[in-house]
Amino acid sequence: MSLTFADIPAGAAVFVDANTFVYAHSLHPQFGSPSTQLLERIERRELSGFTSAHVLGETSHRLMTLEACTAFGRPFAGIAARLRRHPAQAQTLAIFRQAIEGILASAV
């Protein structure tokens, strides 16, 4: 028997990992909708959501690299190294920052 986010009973406390945030903010075709629905349940206070600074760091890094791939038309392999070599390009990325600010302002 497999459980889904929808199976989590109201009032439960959940730890939200980076994948949930990344899937929701990147509109992942398979996991984006369930992840968004979980975060919405937390926002409505149906569930208590928790995360950590480490998870926020992972989320930020992943969303930044995904944004860079799209913005610069580059493959995912090697994108972090490219951003280190071209810090001016990294400075132009803003969508990932907005996502992190939204998470910090949320009920998670």
Side-chain angles (χ1 to χ4, degrees):
M1 178 168 113
S2 64
L3 298 176
T4 66
F5 289 154
D7 296 322
I8 300 171
V14 295
F15 184 84
V16 182
D17 75 354
N19 287 332
T20 302
F21 291 124
V22 171
Y23 293 149
H25 288 281
S26 67
L27 305 175
H28 186 276
Q30 182 177 0
F31 302 120
S33 181
S35 295
T36 298
Q37 291 169 9
L38 174 68
L39 296 174
E40 288 170 348
R41 288 183 70 196
I42 293 168
E43 279 297 309
R44 290 190 305 265
R45 308 269 191 221
E46 291 175 26
L47 303 171
S48 296
F50 302 92
T51 196
S52 69
H54 179 78
V55 166
L56 292 176
E58 285 183 42
T59 302
S60 179
H61 175 75
R62 181 68 172 164
L63 290 175
M64 179 178 56
T65 56
L66 290 171
E67 180 182 352
C69 290
T70 301
F72 308 128
R74 298 295 213 170
F76 189 76
I79 194 70
R82 179 176 176 73
L83 291 174
R84 282 192 296 277
R85 289 190 313 272
H86 300 92
Q89 285 186 338
Q91 296 286 331
T92 67
L93 303 174
I95 296 170
F96 83 96
R97 287 187 185 98
Q98 294 167 355
I100 296 301
E101 289 171 3
I103 293 167
L104 291 171
S106 74
V108 180

